[in-house]
Amino acid sequence: MQSIAIVLMGIVGMLIGWFVYSKFIANHIFKLDENFETPAHELNDGKDFVPTNKVVLWGHHFTSVAGAAPIVGPAIAVYWGWVPAVLWVVFGTILFAGVHDMGALWASARHKGKSMGALSESVIGKRSRALFMIVVFLVLLMVNAVFGVVIANSFVSQPDAVFPAWTAIAVALIIGQLIKRNFKLIPLCFIGILVLYASVFAGSYIPVALPETLFGLADTANWIIILFIYAAIASLLPVWMLLQPRDFINGMQLLVGLLLLYGAVFFSLPDITAPAFNSQTATETPSIIPLLFVTIACGAVSGFHGIVSSGTSSKQLNKETDARFVGYLGAVGEGSLALITIIAVSGVTLAASPEEWHAVYSHLGAGSVDAFIKGGANLIANGWGLPVEFASTILAVMVVLFAGTTMDSGVRLQRYIIQEWGDIYNLNVLKKGAVATLVAVGSCLLLAFGAGGSSGSGGMIIWPLFGSTNQILASLTLLVISVMLIKLKRPAIYTLVPMVFVLVMAFFAGVIKLKEYWLADNYLLVFLDAVVLIVSVLVMLEAAAVIKRFRRGD
């Protein structure tokens, strides 16, 4: 029964955030103007800058920022207890993530769709742009390399997810062409969802597996290569052709998944077996503060969202007022996924008793995606009467498709960064889309195979840095938005307070990790962690100087 109280508290809180707080921020702080000409209209090129229906754009934005992170983070962080995880997800979504995402969309749209890295030059100064983009590039490198590994591992461990995952791409390509020819969106969406779930059912009868070794590489490594070839091609296609329809279908698929999971909670009323506050943590477990706030990133607040908001979403914004629907509501959707993940890994559907739960969560890092799929599948089976195997496939496909859409957008965003570097340093060759894409994909594969050997798992080496680096990036994004507001003589407290909180937690988490990497003689992570910490301090100092000069009237 505890699960009902948790769900109701979370849903009511997020609804208040959407109907009250987001409206206040949109109307009185960002002052969104529906008559403002957005970059999608001003710079419409039919490829990257395309005016897009706000519902379709929400689908793209939602699934691009969601990925597997709002599942992985909460499913790990519940180790400290479900209460702190729930509180951070709910209040983080309302006060931090929604404002961050909507603000990044607004700021980018007001500067011709510039990425947050390029935007920092206009708002703070030239030096900050180069520093900011280092952090952005590292986050994208981590996300792309690791999600490639995550999807490849999922394909190997769950071959029945392969057919529906690739079917979704084919369906998206067809729907993209039909929308371009003015077919109605809603019927196409309904048909697309039906085909997708039919492919999920068919996938259990058509498992697809690569040979264990092919061309001298393991099956996981070959999947990684195939996935990056696909991502390279997808990142060069016009957004209307694949990115928008695929992300919209996946967004609708997530809504169905959320309906199944939340509905199952109300139908089956599962008890919570996880502790509210875990007093039986392993001796080596790090402190909940500050590690909770970087373990749960997506689902509370995430710097990667700012990259997506200013990288692809702002270039498709039809009206500036759509930023509230796309940005804030996208964050609410992700917070909802994080909340139901906590329920799935905290209840009897995963572990029938507190003792069994502690056996599953024996240490920090246990559980994760596997716990979500198992707990979520049992929850759906108990609530809706579906076979557990079918429910497991639904959730596995959901994880794969989300990771895939994030990877698609991530490679496209990495291409934008490289092209911006071409502009900054007058390297014309990097301005070419194909060349920039090859560099982006090449850097990910170099990390995957150069650091990880023939297994292709090298991306995992720098993944431990993602939490603190990602949250430092979120604080830098909030900093840029705050400086904009100060220059416009508007209240900045609604972005400054989240910025300071996230920065302090992420910075100290980075320092803790720095010591951990040093003691483990992992000098690659020591170097990268130190770079991120130093860069963040330098950008903050630059911003402080700009604010000081502005207030003096210089």
Side-chain angles (χ1 to χ4, degrees):
M1 288 294 290
Q2 280 177 309
S3 57
I4 292 293
I6 296 170
V7 164
L8 290 176
M9 184 196 80
I11 291 176
V12 170
M14 291 181 195
L15 286 175
I16 291 172
W18 165 245
F19 285 109
V20 180
Y21 192 62
S22 73
K23 188 176 292 187
F24 167 76
I25 297 294
N27 294 339
H28 300 286
I29 306 302
F30 297 143
K31 297 184 179 179
L32 303 182
D33 180 5
E34 69 174 4
N35 296 316
F36 174 77
E37 185 181 28
T38 63
H41 289 281
E42 181 184 359
L43 305 173
N44 189 345
D45 61 4
K47 184 176 181 182
D48 295 322
F49 292 85
V50 180
T52 304
N53 177 285
K54 68 179 182 180
V55 178
V56 175
L57 182 55
W58 174 85
H60 154 69
H61 181 82
F62 182 22
T63 53
S64 292
V65 300
I71 295 172
V72 175
I76 291 175
V78 76
Y79 178 71
W80 283 296
W82 63 262
V83 168
V86 167
L87 290 176
W88 175 227
V89 164
V90 174
F91 288 103
T93 296
I94 297 168
L95 301 174
F96 291 62
V99 176
H100 171 279
D101 293 14
M102 176 169 51
L105 271 170
W106 164 73
S108 178
R110 284 281 166 169
H111 290 82
K112 299 185 182 297
K114 287 183 179 179
S115 72
M116 200 50 63
L119 180 57
S120 64
E121 178 182 1
S122 305
V123 177
I124 300 176
K126 279 189 175 181
R127 283 177 295 190
S128 70
R129 176 180 184 176
L131 295 170
F132 205 112
M133 289 174 70
I134 291 172
V135 181
V136 173
F137 187 82
L138 281 175
V139 168
L140 288 171
L141 185 64
M142 294 175 196
V143 168
N144 293 337
V146 172
F147 277 21
V149 176
V150 167
I151 299 169
N153 288 338
S154 297
F155 281 169
V156 172
S157 64
Q158 198 133 3
D160 52 355
V162 176
F163 178 74
W166 292 103
T167 298
I169 296 171
V171 171
L173 285 168
I174 294 170
I175 289 179
Q177 294 293 333
L178 294 176
I179 292 176
K180 192 71 174 177
R181 288 161 175 75
N182 297 319
F183 279 72
K184 297 287 186 180
L185 175 62
I186 299 302
L188 288 178
C189 172
F190 181 73
I191 294 170
I193 292 295
L194 286 178
V195 172
L196 178 61
Y197 278 97
S199 71
V200 170
F201 180 77
S204 58
Y205 297 96
I206 316 173
V208 179
L210 295 176
E212 291 188 9
T213 56
L214 185 66
F215 305 120
L217 296 173
D219 48 2
T220 304
N222 281 305
W223 272 126
I224 291 171
I225 293 172
I226 292 170
L227 287 165
F228 273 108
I229 291 173
Y230 157 74
I233 296 170
S235 73
L236 290 169
L237 294 176
V239 292
W240 62 264
M241 188 177 291
L242 176 60
L243 187 71
Q244 288 178 351
R246 179 181 177 181
D247 288 358
F248 185 67
I249 290 172
N250 287 346
M252 296 303 102
Q253 180 236 173
L254 175 58
L255 288 180
V256 173
L258 289 175
L259 176 64
L260 289 174
L261 289 165
Y262 276 101
V265 170
F266 285 96
F267 291 150
S268 61
L269 307 177
D271 290 324
I272 298 296
T273 53
F277 297 92
N278 190 1
S279 60
Q280 301 180 36
T281 57
T283 54
E284 73 277 4
T285 304
S287 170
I288 187 174
I289 297 174
L291 269 299
L292 170 70
F293 302 101
V294 298
T295 302
I296 299 180
C298 297
V301 63
S302 167
F304 180 70
H305 292 202
I307 304 176
V308 175
S309 294
S310 64
T312 57
S313 298
S314 65
K315 295 175 174 63
Q316 302 169 61
L317 205 62
N318 185 41
K319 294 181 179 180
E320 188 177 70
T321 47
D322 291 349
R324 175 173 170 253
F325 186 92
V326 175
Y328 198 97
L329 197 58
V332 168
E334 189 174 63
S336 302
L337 176 57
L339 182 65
I340 199 63
T341 295
I342 295 171
I343 299 295
V345 301
S346 299
V348 294
T349 53
L350 175 68
S353 67
E355 293 74 23
E356 286 187 23
W357 188 90
H358 282 290
V360 174
Y361 277 87
S362 58
H363 61 277
L364 183 65
S368 194
V369 173
D370 290 340
F372 167 73
I373 292 176
K374 179 183 177 182
N378 287 329
L379 179 61
I380 291 172
N382 292 344
W384 296 91
L386 294 175
V388 174
E389 296 78 9
F390 182 59
S392 295
T393 303
I394 289 175
L395 296 181
V397 170
M398 187 170 79
V399 172
V400 167
L401 291 181
F402 279 171
T405 53
T406 301
M407 187 179 170
D408 288 0
S409 296
V411 171
R412 184 180 291 264
L413 292 164
Q414 210 173 350
R415 170 180 45 104
Y416 291 162
I417 294 293
I418 293 167
Q419 288 178 304
E420 286 180 9
W421 274 334
D423 286 329
I424 294 171
Y425 301 109
N426 293 318
L427 298 173
N428 291 329
V429 66
L430 292 182
K431 297 179 185 179
K432 298 177 181 178
V435 173
T437 300
L438 285 175
V439 173
V441 170
S443 64
C444 294
L445 290 174
L446 183 63
L447 174 63
F449 290 97
S454 61
S455 67
S457 61
M460 295 297 184
I461 291 175
I462 63 172
W463 183 248
L465 274 176
F466 175 75
S468 55
T469 304
N470 184 53
Q471 298 304 68
I472 284 174
L473 179 57
S475 66
L476 295 180
T477 299
L478 287 165
L479 174 66
V480 171
I481 298 168
S482 299
V483 175
M484 275 186 65
L485 290 172
I486 290 169
K487 287 184 173 182
L488 292 169
K489 298 182 179 180
R490 299 178 192 171
I493 190 171
Y494 304 97
T495 51
L496 279 175
V497 170
M499 182 212 67
V500 172
F501 180 86
V502 173
L503 178 65
V504 169
M505 294 301 164
F507 192 86
F508 280 106
V511 171
I512 290 170
K513 286 293 184 180
L514 188 67
K515 180 182 177 182
E516 180 184 313
Y517 302 147
W518 178 266
L519 293 176
D521 296 328
N522 196 330
Y523 298 116
L524 173 62
L525 293 185
V526 167
F527 172 73
L528 293 174
D529 197 354
V531 167
V532 171
L533 293 175
I534 292 169
V535 165
S536 64
V537 170
L538 292 175
V539 173
M540 290 290 167
L541 291 174
E542 286 280 329
V546 169
I547 294 172
K548 186 176 180 180
R549 287 197 304 270
F550 178 78
R551 285 181 171 170
R552 284 203 316 256
D554 294 353

